[in-house]
Every structure is written in C-alpha cells, then in structure tokens.
Amino acid sequence: MSLKLYNSLSSKKEIFKSISDKRVKTYGCGPTVYNHLHIGNYRTFVFYDLLNRVLQMNGYETETAVNITDIDDKIIDRVNHEKLSLKEITSKYESSFIELSESLKILPNSYNPKATDYVELMISHIQDLLNEDFAYVSNESVYFSVDKDQSYERFVNLKKDDMDFSDVNPDKKFIGDFVLWKSWTEKDGNIFWDSPWGKGRPAWHTECAVMIKDLFNGQIDIHCGGVDLKFPHHENECAQVEVLCKNFLSNYWLHAEHLTMDDIKMSKSLGNVINVSSLIEDYGYDVVRLFLLSAHYRTKVSFSQKKLEECKKMTEKINRFAKNFTSDIKSIDLKFSNEHDLFIDALNDDLNTPEAIGIFFSFISEMNKKIAKNSINDSDKEKSLVFLKLFNSIFDILDFGNLHNHKIPKEVQDLLVSRQESREKQDWKLSDSIRDKIESLGWYVEDTASGQKLLKKK
RNA sequence: GGCGUCGUACCCAAGUGGUUUAAGGGACCGGUUUGCAAAACCGUUAUUCGUCGGUUCGAAUCCGACCGACGCCUCCA
C-alpha cells in the first residue's frame, strides 16, 4: 500500500506524492524557548519523528526542519523580570529541548533554525511584501493585508461579517490583518532590531515563512504542527509565501491533536503541565515513547499514570519476547512477509500506530504459542527477528545492544548462585526470600525449564 | 455567536458501508504449567458501537435531529 496522509487542506486522506522522486522536505513548528516543555509538546515532536521514520521506511531520504522560536513576547517578559540576557534564557531551554528530544529517541533534524539568526532575512522578506503591496506600514509596524491573498481561509471558515470588532488594533486597516513587524515599545527594553520602519522585532508568523523560503526555496512537501496552529499561524504563513512565490508553500499539512489533562488541554498558560524529564526518569524513555505513540496522532489523548503503567507492561512483554531470539538483530536483512506487510500498511495508512501495535502484538502472541508448544521453526525465528527490527525502526523502544547483556551486579549474581543451591536442596523458604531480595534490587527472577532467568525491572 | 472534531466493552484504543455477527493492550475470573510464584499458553468478559429516526439487500461506518465532551475564532505543540 502506498503512503496515505490526512491533509488538513482537503480534510481527507490523500496518497502521498513527493515533489522530487526520492527526497522529501518537511517542516515542523518547534518550541518557543522561554520555559521547560511539557509532555504535550513532546507528543507533537514524537509525531514529527514518526512521520520522518515512516517516510524513511518508504525509501525516502528526508530533509527535516524544526524551528526554535527565540524571539517572543513571553521571552521578553522573562528577560525583563529575571535580569538575564535573551541569549541566557533561550539557550538554556533550547539545549533542554535538544537533550530531551535525544532521550526520547527523536532522530536529529537536518535543521533547527533560530529566529534570531533570521532577522535580516525577515526584514527583506517584509520589504518584498511591501514592495508588492501585500503589506502596509502603520505606526512603525508592518501588517499583512489578508485581502490581497485570494486563497486566505484555507484552514478555516471565518465568516468575516460575524467577526468581533470590539477590540480592534486601530493601526490595522482590517481586523483580520496580521502583524509582520512589531514596532518597539517600552516594555521591550533593550530587545529590538533596526529596520527601515524603525526599531522593533519580527512577528511570529514571519519566522516560519522566511525559514522555509530560505532553507527550502519556499516549497516543501509536508508541513506539520499542533492543531492549534492551523489558524492563524499556518494560514498566515501560507499567505505570505504564496503571494510572493506563487506556489503552494506545502503540498501536505499534518496537524497533531493535543494531549489533555482531565479533558482540558495541557498548556503552559493553564499551568496543568507534566514535566518530561521526571517522567522519563520514572518510567524510562521507552514507556513514554510507547505511550505517546499508542494513540493515533489525530485523536486527543488524556494523560494518566494508569496508561503509563499499561505501557510499561507492554514494553516488558515486548522485551521478553525479544529475548527469545539470540541472533544479532542489527545484521538481519529486512525481508518482509505478510505479517510485516500488514504492519507497514497500517503505518502507511496515515500513520496508524495503534493498529500497527495491534498487529505486532498479534504476531507476538502467535509466536509465543509456538514457543510454548516448542514448535517454532527457523522461518518463524527469522520472521520474528525481522519484525522486531522493523518494529523498532519506527517505535525505537528496544535496546538491541543491551537485550541480552544487561550488566548484572555482582551482588545479584551471587544471590542467584545461592538461590540455585537452596533450590537444589529444596529449601523453598530460603529460595523465596532470596527471590524477594533480588527483586528489591531491581530484578525479576523467573524459573524456566532451562533454569533461572533474570529480567531487569523497569 | 460562528466554524470544526469527537462519543466503540470495566479502562485504554483500532475499525468508517459486506473478507470484523467489532483488532490489540490493560484489568478481572477460571484452567494448564510451577515446590510456590513469575512468565507463557488455553478459556470467559460488547449480538453491540451516545440517543432517536432515515437511506440501503446490508450501517458502528452514510444522512437528519437530539444529548454530551472538546477544540479553533486571542498567546499556545
């Protein structure tokens, strides 16, 4: 099955066709670095990563960009309150973003452009819009005239007649116009850039538009973001680029739904956020990743500890299954059969991770039956290895290198030996107390036909 | 107010007209196995998909009304 993606422009699943044969260019709206990011933010970033991996699975080379917004009202607020420089604040949260992305096994992007590196280009972009009469200067700020964009309202149906005119910025000619360049005000302190229209700073919508123009010549295959960005952000991004370049900014627009807290969306302004690094510490990156991928990206997910506990059990089950196979998985060739194709088809059907997980678990259960009956053959073993490798190329929750050789502490090893001795003497009391002790050190002992087996606790 | 999305078992969650009289995971209960556990295996838990109507040979899947939840229209992943 060929790759299908749900395109927000048409509100339909469409067969994906790339601009050039082999190479796919994607852009995702990244974080504003004024605070720690929460698990909801990372749901979107893990979704970008999923898209990237599925494209690669389909044989595409990917060129990916996720921007970092380091010019913003909230950042300026913090600069003024904390008496730190802009750079000091933004670089702290930027590196935290990069580090946590790595811990969650998000593949590195080709580019992570920053707004502060693009101010000059943004100024010339705004000048271009002014030259072509798509924008106007008012009170040292620059606004985009949405009337000049024939395609405006790609993502929404605004019904301009119904718009609320009560709180209109008097500098705007029309209520729907949006700002490209914000003139300096006192509360901006010493944060400003010089421009032909006076000192000020670029506005948010300008940033992504200019980065795409610069990195990708104003045209990409896929643009992603959270649903909340559809309007006005993505609409306004499109408007600026498309009036100038006369082509679609992006052929496909993918929007990820929000992670919620008790049915209310999680957001920094609402204060109902969950910190990611402590979550990874408590559960492990694999559990967090599986949790984020266990619902389809276009559905809301409610955060809960219970779900994380369930995902933890799922990762344990997968790990147990993987441990049945001793070959070096890294060197296995990916030769696919029916079971694998079902898994691939699910992912190609608009990145249907829950279905793919279901198929993988059905396969595990089928193989476990054979293992239980001791009727597993070489072909089954090979299929299993291929499936494990395929599964991990997308979900990336198995650590193949450490599957079999977790470093077992000396203390645990010694306990294992004495437990074996007590078992031989049929001293069950002692053997059970040793088992408890091993468990308190973080390991499960399982007695199998071939002797004691250790499994690292999560 | 305008625009839009969603409502599937005890919980989570796929499926969006017939190959599904509804995947998969968690949970519960019973069984096999085990010294006991754990794991694994077997079996049980939705004749039913918010409610009510309609279209169709056939609907959870399409249409309409209603009820409920949420999102966007303002910073936001």
Side-chain angles (χ1 to χ4, degrees):
Chain A
M1 195 211 275
S2 48
L3 176 60
K4 280 194 215 153
L5 298 172
Y6 184 91
N7 193 346
S8 295
L9 283 173
S10 63
S11 299
K12 282 191 185 109
K13 281 187 202 170
E14 296 176 10
I15 291 174
F16 176 72
K17 221 172 163 298
S18 53
I19 297 167
S20 83
D21 263 1
K22 281 214 144 159
R23 216 172 166 75
V24 175
K25 298 172 180 177
T26 70
Y27 183 95
C29 289
T32 303
V33 282
Y34 72 99
N35 209 333
H36 284 296
L37 297 172
H38 56 73
I39 185 68
N41 298 118
Y42 282 97
R43 181 189 188 194
T44 305
F45 303 139
V46 167
F47 153 69
Y48 296 169
D49 182 61
L50 167 70
L51 173 67
N52 187 16
R53 287 170 186 263
V54 170
L55 287 166
Q56 290 182 6
M57 181 184 82
N58 279 278
Y60 293 110
E61 272 175 51
T62 56
E63 195 176 346
T64 64
V66 171
N67 72 302
I68 289 169
T69 299
D70 59 355
I71 303 175
D72 173 84
D73 289 8
K74 287 178 183 134
I75 300 173
I76 293 171
D77 278 354
R78 289 201 65 159
V79 170
N80 292 332
H81 281 110
E82 299 187 16
K83 299 202 171 117
L84 292 167
S85 72
L86 183 93
K87 190 81 195 158
E88 281 168 319
I89 288 183
T90 58
S91 61
K92 175 179 167 189
Y93 295 111
E94 182 195 332
S95 42
S96 151
F97 163 63
I98 301 289
E99 271 168 38
L100 281 174
S101 297
E102 263 173 42
S103 336
L104 283 173
K105 302 270 181 168
I106 291 171
L107 298 174
N109 293 111
S110 317
Y111 316 104
N112 283 121
K114 282 183 276 186
T116 45
D117 293 332
Y118 276 79
V119 176
E120 250 177 73
L121 280 174
M122 289 194 251
I123 289 172
S124 68
H125 163 79
I126 294 169
Q127 192 60 59
D128 289 347
L129 288 168
L130 283 166
N131 293 345
E132 302 261 352
D133 198 31
F134 295 128
Y136 55 92
V137 182
S138 177
N139 220 354
E140 298 191 347
S141 287
V142 184
Y143 296 89
F144 185 93
S145 254
V146 296
D147 285 349
K148 300 284 166 71
D149 174 22
Q150 307 247 309
S151 306
Y152 206 72
E153 297 186 35
R154 295 161 184 80
F155 298 108
V156 285
N157 183 356
L158 281 180
K159 289 256 165 78
K160 288 182 185 143
D161 296 343
D162 292 332
M163 289 176 91
D164 179 8
F165 282 81
S166 59
D167 190 25
V168 186
N169 173 347
D171 295 343
K172 287 186 190 178
K173 286 184 186 168
F174 169 67
I175 184 180
D177 292 348
F178 60 89
V179 65
L180 297 165
W181 181 267
K182 282 185 176 174
S183 61
W184 179 86
T185 65
E186 247 168 62
K187 71 176 173 63
D188 294 342
N190 60 356
I191 297 170
F192 62 84
W193 286 261
D194 289 314
S195 81
W197 322 286
K199 59 184 186 178
R201 62 196 156 93
W204 178 41
H205 307 311
T206 320
E207 180 185 333
C208 298
V210 170
M211 287 170 176
I212 294 173
K213 274 173 75 185
D214 180 56
L215 295 169
F216 299 110
N217 279 322
Q219 192 168 33
I220 54 174
D221 290 286
I222 305 171
H223 195 308
C224 331
V227 272
D228 52 333
L229 299 185
K230 254 192 208 178
F231 189 88
H233 183 55
H234 290 161
E235 189 73 51
N236 293 349
E237 219 181 300
C238 271
Q240 294 171 64
V241 176
E242 294 186 7
V243 295
L244 285 176
C245 301
K246 318 276 188 230
N247 58 252
F248 275 136
L249 169 64
S250 174
N251 289 331
Y252 301 85
W253 288 80
L254 271 53
H255 289 105
E257 252 299 348
H258 282 143
L259 188 74
T260 63
M261 221 25 206
D262 304 320
D263 288 340
I264 309 288
K265 96 173 175 185
M266 188 180 288
S267 78
K268 283 176 267 194
S269 42
L270 293 173
N272 56 348
V273 299
I274 298 283
N275 177 281
V276 182
S277 47
S278 62
L279 214 54
I280 295 177
E281 216 167 281
D282 292 350
Y283 289 94
Y285 77 92
D286 47 350
V287 174
V288 177
R289 238 185 109 82
L290 189 65
F291 164 66
L292 293 175
L293 291 168
S294 63
H296 190 263
Y297 78 90
R298 282 190 288 113
T299 66
K300 288 185 193 59
V301 171
S302 181
F303 179 85
S304 80
Q305 303 278 338
K306 192 180 165 202
K307 281 186 198 171
L308 284 160
E309 290 298 334
E310 289 177 6
C311 288
K312 185 167 133 186
K313 289 188 175 147
M314 288 163 81
T315 60
E316 281 171 359
K317 187 166 179 169
I318 294 168
N319 270 289
R320 268 199 191 95
F321 174 71
K323 281 186 119 178
N324 287 307
F325 306 97
T326 50
S327 312
D328 178 11
I329 293 181
K330 282 179 188 161
S331 64
I332 294 290
D333 284 338
L334 288 178
K335 275 186 292 180
F336 300 140
S337 43
N338 289 348
E339 301 88 328
H340 309 118
D341 286 341
L342 287 174
F343 178 85
I344 292 167
D345 285 351
L347 291 168
N348 278 345
D349 184 14
D350 195 31
L351 317 178
N352 195 335
T353 47
E355 192 181 343
I357 292 171
I359 290 162
F360 184 53
F361 271 98
S362 303
F363 177 81
I364 289 181
S365 143
E366 196 189 320
M367 286 303 137
N368 275 340
K369 274 174 208 175
K370 292 191 180 187
I371 293 169
K373 281 191 284 183
N374 218 352
S375 68
I376 190 160
N377 61 31
D378 286 349
S379 146
D380 293 328
K381 282 180 190 164
E382 198 188 330
K383 273 185 198 168
S384 301
L385 286 164
V386 171
F387 214 148
L388 283 163
K389 191 171 175 179
L390 173 64
F391 174 80
N392 219 41
S393 73
I394 303 295
F395 288 87
D396 211 348
I397 61 170
L398 285 161
D399 184 358
F400 290 142
N402 278 320
L403 223 43
H404 299 283
N405 40 9
H406 265 302
K407 284 188 195 95
I408 301 167
K410 177 91 173 49
E411 195 185 356
V412 174
Q413 277 181 22
D414 292 346
L415 284 167
L416 216 56
V417 172
S418 34
R419 182 164 182 271
Q420 184 56 34
E421 284 167 6
S422 64
R423 280 172 57 75
E424 277 158 18
K425 288 185 213 145
Q426 303 205 348
D427 184 347
W428 309 125
K429 251 200 170 140
L430 181 59
S431 142
D432 288 352
S433 76
I434 296 173
R435 180 166 64 200
D436 291 345
K437 196 155 186 196
I438 293 174
E439 198 173 326
S440 73
L441 293 168
W443 297 78
Y444 294 116
V445 188
E446 294 173 6
D447 297 322
T448 69
S450 53
Q452 303 182 92
K453 217 171 167 180
L454 272 182
L455 189 78
K456 186 109 175 72
K457 256 187 171 177
K458 291 295 302 184

